Amino acid sequence: LYTAPDSCEGRCGEPFNEEDECHCHPGCEAEHNCCEDHERHCGPDGFSSSSGSISERELLELSEQLYGLDHNKARPSDIALNPQHLAGPDETGDKQDRSPQPLYKYVNEELFSKPTYASFIKLLDNYQRATGREEEVTAEELREQERFLEEVMKTELMKKLFAFLQGKDRYSSEQEFLQDLNQMWFGLYSRGDGERDSSGFEHVFSGEVKKGKVSGFHNWIRFYLLEKQGVLNYFSHNFDGPWDTYPDVLGLQFSWDGFYKEVGSAFIGCSPEFEFGLYTLCFLARPGRACHLSLGGHRLSVQTYPWTKATYGGGRRFIATAYVMSP
């Protein structure tokens, strides 16, 4: 669990994938491409039995189930988008605003009164966006984190994810799962010079500014709220997914208070628990690698990376980033 991509921990028996740095499938010994710890984890007396690994097929099936359980997602009538300019590969980096209108023409804000949305939105103002500035976490902010986790765990979607992970011997109880979610997503680490200035949640959902550029920031609700406030300027999109309902996927170019994001991919119209659950699944199943999923019959991939410079709870890793990949 939470291993770097050069380990077989939790990966025994998984299918060969040429993107992997090293391999843990049954034939790797004959092909001389096993990870160094393959024998320790996957040998007859190894730590990681193949029953704990998550196969490609299981990821495809579970992601379709989670997609079907996103009961809080936006309906087609809840959001009206105005994507405007489709940027070519040579246009995404030139910081030209080719879309004079906002991306969101309309969002039904009644969505935001649903418990998982309301508790998610409360978290967004808890962060200093500049890396290198220590985060100060108040008692109220800790309660807001707990409330969000409580609300998402009430959903059928997150209960399904937990049941799957429990069946893989990853967690023995829902309480253990909740505590680990809290650490991997909200635990603080340093992206700068030792200041505890970042967390997976801040990076992925709220967004940061590092070296003059927007870093992370992959959430549609955050985008809409900042665009409505007038501090975010939508420039163009370079990818629009094949879905004709929500969730959909967009690849975006935008400026946040003058800081530019060259390509910021995001699910559009999903509930907070859908994104949170899907990214968690991929981080646990394929940390540091592409995680291949299926939503509504369409394939897509999520990329996650563990933070390698700090650990918690006996060597577990924080989330560094997670995002849906747009071609």
Side-chain angles (χ1 to χ4, degrees), residues 183-256:
Q183 284 291 340
M184 77 170 90
W185 280 104
F186 293 107
L188 292 172
Y189 51 82
S190 173
R191 287 185 195 262
D193 300 316
E195 314 86 356
R196 297 195 332 142
D197 61 351
S198 188
S199 69
F201 186 92
E202 177 187 7
H203 181 85
V204 172
F205 294 104
S206 183
E208 299 180 294
V209 171
K210 185 176 182 181
K211 295 180 180 173
K213 291 181 180 176
V214 176
S215 180
F217 197 135
H218 299 286
N219 180 256
W220 76 271
I221 300 166
R222 175 71 161 161
F223 191 106
Y224 165 74
L225 292 172
L226 290 178
E227 187 177 62
K228 184 181 169 188
Q229 289 172 25
V231 296
L232 189 147
N233 182 12
Y234 168 71
F235 280 17
S236 55
H237 69 289
N238 63 301
F239 174 76
D240 189 353
W243 296 269
D244 52 13
T245 58
Y246 298 113
D248 198 355
V249 176
L250 274 182
L252 304 158
Q253 289 69 51
F254 60 90
S255 169
W256 178 18

Side-chain angles (χ1 to χ4, degrees), residues 111-140:
L111 280 173
F112 300 162
S113 63
K114 294 183 177 190
T116 57
Y117 284 81
S119 57
F120 173 82
I121 289 168
K122 273 202 157 62
L123 295 171
L124 294 175
D125 65 357
N126 289 356
Y127 299 103
Q128 304 254 14
R129 70 180 178 189
T131 58
R133 293 173 67 181
E134 181 109 11
E135 292 292 344
E136 293 180 22
V137 184
T138 66
E140 183 183 356

